[in-house]
Amino acid sequence: MSDSLPASMRAVIDDFTEHLAAERDRSEHTVRAYAGDMESLAEHLVRMGKTQFADLDLASLRSWLAAQRSRGRSRATLARRASAVRVFTAWAARSGHLPADVGAALAVAKTGRTLPGVLRAGQLEAVLAAAAQAAETGDAVAIRDWAVLEVLYATGIRVSELCGLDVDDVDAERRVVRVLGKGRKERSVPFGAPAAAALDHWLVRGRPELIRTAGPALFVGARGGRLGVRAVRDIVAAKVRAVDGAPEIGPHGVRHSTATHLLDGGADLRSVQELLGHASLATTQIYTHISVDRLRKAYQQAHPRA
């Protein structure tokens, strides 16, 4: 946190981050992002001659967002920061740091809905086939990469959820993995025979060669510790990049692909919502737009009267 902030402001931000972590059980990444946003807001207030959050008003909030926009921040970033500050002002008003919830009246332009990049089923098959072929060498890292890709695609889980898996979270007999999602909500996600085969190969032949200090971690890195999010992103990016014509995607793109392929295959929206761990059905509905978009393109290319 900036040393230039008044002690009273630093104390309020510390209380807010503690509230997010302890009472709302937000992830470390979210807490860090919100703290950074509030530090940015506090610095803006100081530049305006205001030395405590009690001086915050709607005009100051709008001025802060306008300053962000003038620095080239995207609409998505502005929307996220506006959302963060609304959470902050609601909490600050309840806890007595603000006389009123000044952020409740804050409105920003909606971000345009962008369809996430996805791989076609054939492209993902190529990615997985290449990973399986590499695993045939017996190299422990190659076996792990194959298992990582198979589990990501089979389950559609988030990369953070994948990295948090322990060996005991996998029920090989029932082909179900226990996942701890956002808000520490637990859900069970099924996986198919290909992922089961890759996992078995990893647990029997790959993991014993790499395991050092990861304890119960299902996936481990080359040095034996729990596999990290960045390493998984590198694995996915490298494997996808090797497929001709495939868009550049990371683990989240594999998750998008899973959801899209499920819907294309006839799965109902509610089931996909549960599999992905979405709190709201509205979040899952973006994938119906992807499927319709593909259908429209296919129609335009193939129908004689399109």
Side-chain angles (χ1 to χ4, degrees), residues 190-222:
F191 55 86
L199 276 172
D200 181 67
H201 211 58
W202 161 243
L203 290 171
V204 173
R205 298 185 57 188
R207 188 175 182 273
E209 289 190 25
L210 294 181
I211 192 71
R212 297 289 184 279
T213 60
L218 176 61
F219 292 112
V220 299

Side-chain angles (χ1 to χ4, degrees), residues 107-162:
V108 294
K110 291 183 178 180
T111 59
R113 180 181 290 264
T114 302
L115 298 181
V118 297
L119 294 176
R120 297 193 303 273
Q123 291 172 328
L124 254 167
E125 288 293 338
V127 169
L128 297 172
Q133 185 175 11
E136 290 178 1
T137 63
D139 178 74
V141 171
I143 295 171
R144 180 206 63 198
D145 293 353
W146 174 40
V148 163
L149 289 162
E150 286 282 6
V151 171
L152 279 174
Y153 180 50
T155 61
I157 61 177
R158 301 175 178 93
V159 62
S160 59
E161 295 170 342
L162 177 101

